Amino acid sequence: MAIHPPETKIWWKEPIHSIEIWWVLIALVWSLIMFVMMPYWHIYGNQNLSNEAYRVDPEYFGEKVEDMVKKYTIREEGDTGIPVVAPPVGSDVFLLARLWEWYPILELKKGKEYRLHLSSMDWMHGFSLQPTNINLQVHPGYDFVVTVTPTESGKFAIICNEYCGIGHHTMAGRMYVTDK
Amino acid sequence: MSILSKSRICPETGLFFDDQAEKLIKWNAVTGVVFLLVGGLFGVLMALTRWTEVHILPADWFYLLLTAHGLDALIVWIIFFEMAVLYLASSTLLKVRLAAPKWAWLGYWLMLIGAVITNVMVLEGDSSVMFTSYPPMKAHPLFYLGIIVFAVGALIGTFCFFGTLVLAKEQKTYEGSLPLVTFGALTAAIIAVFTIASGAIILVPTLLWSLGYIAHIDPLMYKTIWWAMGHSSQQINVSAHVSVWYLIAAIVFGAKPLSEKVSRMAFLFYIFFLQLASAHHLLVEPGLSSEWKIFNTSYAMYLAVLGSMIHGLTVPGSIEAAQRKKGFNKGLFEWLRRAPWGNPVFSGMFMSLVMFGFLGGITGVIMGTEQINIIMHNTLYVPGHFHATVVAGTTLTFMAVSYFLVPVLFRRELWLPGLAKWQTYIYAIGVAGISVFMMAAGTLGVSRRHWDNNFADATLGFDYPAAAHMFLALNGISGLMAGLGGASFCIIMVGTILWGKKKSDVPASAPAPAPEPAVHQAGSAGTIAVPGTFVLALIFLGTFILYYYVNWKYLAEVWHLS
């Protein structure tokens, strides 16, 4: 029994039943297939995170955001005073997270590529684009660069999904994607 | 056996109990159950707050009790019970006195003091940092200190376990190799040392940082090393509860491992690869390369998953072999149909095995796939998954074995045996509901650790699909059911200890586990074929493959990222 020492002292020479051998082989093959799926998706899939990230001083990142806001603001969001920014296609766009907001509101074009920079001014935050359901971690002191191509147009929410204190559940931002 | 130590042989089970080891097993297990009660109660409150229409707690209490729930239910209850399992697997199974019992007691008290300190800090309200406590968010220094003290206590207990193994070897209390259950416990203990060392490496500097002696803790470094503790601690659980599965199969059925070699190899895979899983929490992080993520998240080509899939065959396989030996040979599944489903020791263990595999294992591997993690990270899918591994896997298994252990240790008959029969089912259904419905809500994007899924106070609001709120309501109902099952368990255990009918010391007419194994011949080639288990395993694999590719399909539909 499993609560006694093995009955035969040389237990490692005992034969193994064919059912067990088959299962080990099948499970091993499945394990290898799952392992290969990840590099495969890097080559043939469209949803991969880049390996591009930089250490960044929060103040410097904040300035980059402000530069972009100054240059490309097209309107304000309702009466909230939050700028809606439409940066040029293919450019570097910046989104900052801070207690407890996402800033600014970006307006992107469907089917076009943007280099999205994410960073936090204070604590850790979670970028959760809804209802698309893309979730990325946002660290203070790190500039995370992801090349994004929106595949649908409309109004999207950016929910913070990393706990960041008592106002965490009020931290929701917005993003627009236009057809043209 | 040492002459100096007192010991007894259980008249009913024939198990050996060293006096000190027995006391330690009792104290650790009972203390664990107390924390389970506290942590479980907080858990029910979480489920009720997430239920949109009920929303029972205010925001500050939600975050506060969520921190406490994670600590007490995930760490304190389980590690206390694991200490009991370690002492049982060493001293009792090897029939030797416990090494350095005074140290083991010191370990126990440190764990208790640490757990209480951290709980007090959390309940005072200035350490609502979640149990992950990611910097730069800062908790009270005593919050970190409490965890460190708890971990030191657990480390001392682990070394008493190692010492006891050495003692047994020296005194030749057993012949040949360690029993498989002890080997599994040893696996858990080795992973525990790695886990606690990682915890010390990151929490000691964090404590100094919270006191102002260190200026900066890099959040990415913290997360990487913290999860070498946080995730590995769950791998201690896996190793421990798989060992307990083998233990229960042996106790209830007299089952013998199909093949010692294969089962031990599977445990060895755990030791080599399980602790790489820190990466599961870092798949959508900046600053880590895809190569690093892929290698680590897959435990080096899924070799630890292979280990679990092997146990998934060999544990029920050993039961099938034992049952067939007893004559339950009709068709594929008579052995399973005729199993003692009214015995909570078995029913709890078997449901745990099934749910750990189907709900916890499959979803864990899928969520831990580098790219698929993008659509799941930090959503409710994550707690949905780990409630299936930790609660359905570990907690339910520990409940099941308690129905065997507590009457044996306290020499009392089970209190409310009628309720005990049903308790495992009530709890299992509740936990299955929690897992499935949280994962369903997570698939729809609902985030974890979030108080208000209506975004009522947010400047820029958002509405989840109506189905998400339905799943959250079902999660609330399941939470109540699991709470009912958990409370029943605590009541039965406390009742047994206090008011259970005392057992006479006269040996029962027939000792429960047959002293000779149900399957005689050595080596699985000489034993009985287990076609039923193989069919179950193939059903599992089919489900796994199907759900795995469904999620790739989901991923393929989101925005292009590169």
Side-chain angles (χ1 to χ4, degrees):
Chain A
M1 285 199 289
I3 54 172
H4 299 308
E7 288 144 55
T8 40
K9 251 186 153 170
I10 316 293
W11 49 264
W12 53 89
K13 287 198 177 159
E14 286 170 3
I16 303 172
H17 197 285
S18 61
I19 282 183
E20 256 184 311
I21 292 179
W22 273 110
W23 179 246
V24 173
L25 283 177
I26 293 168
L28 179 66
V29 168
W30 174 234
S31 296
L32 293 176
I33 290 173
M34 289 194 296
F35 179 70
V36 171
M37 271 308 290
M38 291 185 282
Y40 168 87
W41 200 260
H42 271 280
I43 300 165
Y44 298 103
N46 289 318
Q47 291 79 15
N48 292 291
L49 295 183
S50 72
N51 292 324
E52 193 178 349
Y54 306 95
R55 279 188 189 277
V56 68
D57 179 47
E59 256 176 55
Y60 174 78
F61 191 84
E63 283 164 22
K64 298 293 278 182
V65 175
E66 277 312 323
D67 284 351
M68 178 192 72
V69 170
K70 259 184 217 147
K71 269 195 212 160
Y72 303 118
T73 296
I74 50 167
R75 62 172 187 274
E76 282 187 357
E77 177 76 3
D79 52 3
T80 61
I82 306 169
V84 179
V85 181
V89 167
S91 70
D92 286 88
V93 302
F94 298 85
L95 182 67
L96 73 77
R98 64 186 166 209
L99 303 170
W100 286 286
E101 65 167 347
W102 297 95
Y103 180 85
I105 295 174
L106 296 168
E107 184 169 296
L108 309 179
K109 287 195 167 68
K110 184 180 158 182
K112 305 292 182 199
E113 256 185 28
Y114 297 86
R115 278 167 55 81
L116 176 64
H117 295 249
L118 293 165
S119 192
S120 163
M121 297 291 106
D122 33 59
W123 292 350
M124 246 186 245
H125 296 286
F127 170 94
S128 177
L129 189 75
Q130 297 298 338
T132 311
N133 210 5
I134 292 173
N135 304 281
L136 306 169
Q137 192 80 19
V138 183
H139 285 254
Y142 286 86
D143 175 4
F144 193 3
V145 190
V146 184
T147 304
V148 181
T149 312
T151 53
E152 52 192 340
S153 55
K155 186 166 107 175
F156 299 88
I158 304 166
I159 308 299
C160 177
N161 71 3
E162 184 59 78
Y163 171 70
C164 56
I166 191 65
H168 168 53
H169 48 272
T170 65
M171 186 169 167
R174 196 159 282 173
M175 188 185 282
Y176 290 99
V177 178
T178 56
D179 278 320
K180 277 284 166 188
Chain B
M1 258 169 276
S2 168
I3 317 152
L4 294 169
S5 66
K6 279 193 288 179
S7 64
R8 70 177 179 96
I9 300 287
C10 174
E12 202 179 352
T13 59
L15 289 175
F16 167 91
F17 286 106
D18 166 62
D19 189 47
Q20 284 298 313
E22 183 172 16
K23 284 204 179 86
L24 277 156
I25 294 170
K26 282 182 188 172
W27 279 80
N28 277 286
V30 171
T31 312
V33 172
V34 172
F35 279 98
L36 172 68
L37 188 64
V38 176
L41 173 70
F42 295 164
V44 175
L45 292 173
M46 295 302 108
L48 291 180
T49 306
R50 288 200 172 109
W51 185 348
T52 318
E53 288 78 20
V54 177
H55 213 229
I56 191 167
L57 293 176
D60 52 346
W61 275 97
F62 175 77
Y63 294 127
L64 186 156
L65 292 183
L66 183 51
T67 308
H69 169 63
L71 280 165
D72 289 337
L74 198 60
I75 299 282
V76 182
W77 133 249
I78 285 177
I79 302 280
F80 266 115
F81 202 92
E82 274 160 3
M83 287 300 140
V85 171
L86 288 187
Y87 297 143
L88 181 87
S90 54
S91 170
T92 298
L93 293 189
L94 300 180
K95 300 184 181 61
V96 67
R97 76 169 175 86
L98 192 74
K102 284 199 179 116
W103 281 94
W105 281 110
L106 176 68
Y108 168 81
W109 285 108
L110 286 178
M111 283 171 68
L112 185 60
I113 292 166
V116 169
I117 290 176
T118 301
N119 265 285
V120 169
M121 285 305 114
V122 172
L123 293 174
E124 281 195 344
D126 52 1
S127 296
S128 298
V129 292
M130 299 296 126
F131 108 107
T132 45
S133 57
Y134 294 147
M137 193 190 295
K138 210 179 270 181
H140 194 286
L142 287 178
F143 171 90
Y144 307 107
L145 186 67
I147 300 175
I148 294 168
V149 170
F150 179 84
V152 170
L155 192 63
I156 292 174
T158 308
F159 275 93
C160 289
F161 165 80
F162 291 134
T164 308
L165 297 190
V166 173
L167 207 62
K169 189 96 194 159
E170 259 177 25
Q171 302 187 354
K172 297 194 172 58
T173 59
Y174 67 99
E175 272 182 49
S177 304
L178 290 177
L180 182 61
V181 172
T182 312
F183 188 81
L186 176 60
T187 303
I190 290 170
I191 297 175
V193 173
F194 171 86
T195 302
I196 295 168
S198 307
I201 289 168
I202 197 61
L203 284 175
V204 171
T206 306
L207 170 66
L208 296 175
W209 164 75
S210 73
L211 288 166
Y213 295 114
I214 290 178
H216 178 69
I217 296 280
D218 183 84
L220 183 60
M221 174 197 74
Y222 176 93
K223 228 183 146 179
T224 309
I225 304 173
W226 193 92
W227 279 112
M229 170 184 75
H231 204 106
S232 307
S233 67
Q234 304 320 306
Q235 321 291 17
I236 309 174
N237 300 345
V238 174
S239 312
H241 78 228
V242 171
S243 307
V244 173
W245 290 346
Y246 282 111
L247 174 77
I248 290 176
I251 291 167
V252 176
F253 298 96
K256 177 189 167 302
L258 288 180
S259 149
E260 295 279 354
K261 186 162 39 179
V262 173
S263 294
R264 281 164 204 253
M265 186 182 72
F267 275 122
L268 204 61
F269 282 163
Y270 281 178
I271 298 178
F272 287 154
F273 304 112
L274 266 184
Q275 62 277 45
L276 302 182
S278 167
H280 288 182
H281 306 262
L282 303 161
L283 295 174
V284 296
E285 230 73 10
L288 296 165
S289 73
S290 292
E291 292 84 352
W292 186 90
K293 287 174 180 172
I294 290 174
F295 181 82
N296 284 282
T297 196
S298 67
Y299 311 98
M301 300 190 280
Y302 291 106
L303 293 176
V305 174
L306 180 62
S308 284
M309 286 174 77
I310 292 172
H311 289 307
L313 179 91
T314 56
V315 173
S318 69
I319 293 175
E320 178 174 357
Q323 286 282 78
R324 283 186 186 274
K325 190 81 184 172
K326 283 179 198 142
F328 298 124
N329 247 326
K330 242 185 270 151
L332 278 176
F333 295 116
E334 194 198 12
W335 63 276
L336 191 56
R337 259 199 338 272
R338 300 286 292 272
W341 292 99
N343 177 356
V345 182
F346 168 74
S347 68
M349 171 261 164
F350 204 83
M351 286 188 286
S352 166
L353 174 89
V354 171
M355 293 203 286
F356 178 79
F358 278 85
L359 297 181
I362 291 178
T363 61
V365 171
I366 288 169
M367 192 166 57
T369 304
E370 192 209 357
Q371 295 94 339
I372 293 177
N373 190 255
I374 295 171
I375 57 171
M376 292 173 176
H377 176 76
N378 269 358
T379 66
L380 263 187
Y381 198 95
V382 181
H385 150 73
F386 72 68
H387 279 75
T389 55
V390 180
V391 189
T394 310
T395 298
L396 185 54
T397 299
F398 287 177
M399 282 179 176
V401 78
S402 297
Y403 285 111
F404 167 75
L405 274 184
V406 169
V408 167
L409 289 169
F410 289 88
R411 306 289 310 125
R412 286 183 188 264
E413 277 171 29
L414 210 56
W415 199 58
L416 300 179
L419 180 63
K421 221 183 244 186
W422 289 100
Q423 185 272 331
T424 48
Y425 292 95
I426 299 169
Y427 192 69
I429 293 169
V431 174
I434 292 174
S435 305
V436 169
F437 296 126
M438 278 204 280
M439 287 194 278
T443 305
L444 296 172
V446 179
S447 63
R448 68 185 292 200
R449 297 173 166 180
H450 200 284
W451 175 68
D452 181 12
N453 290 314
N454 280 325
F455 303 97
D457 298 328
T459 319
L460 303 167
F462 173 67
D463 292 316
Y464 285 118
H469 294 285
M470 182 189 74
F471 290 135
L472 290 170
L474 289 168
N475 173 52
I477 294 166
S478 308
L480 282 175
M481 187 150 176
L484 184 71
S488 309
F489 171 75
C490 295
I491 289 167
I492 294 167
M493 286 303 135
V494 172
T496 303
I497 293 166
L498 296 179
W499 310 300
K501 204 175 126 214
K502 279 215 169 98
K503 288 183 184 179
S504 62
D505 280 343
V506 185
S509 50
E516 54 206 281
V519 180
H520 287 273
Q521 223 169 333
S524 58
T527 64
I528 298 150
V530 289
T533 302
F534 193 60
V535 168
L536 290 179
L538 290 178
I539 293 172
F540 171 79
L541 184 70
T543 314
F544 197 164
I545 294 172
L546 188 69
Y547 190 57
Y548 180 74
Y549 282 105
V550 163
N551 279 286
W552 278 109
K553 173 82 174 64
Y554 283 150
L555 177 72
E557 286 163 5
V558 307
W559 295 8
H560 295 182
L561 306 165
S562 59

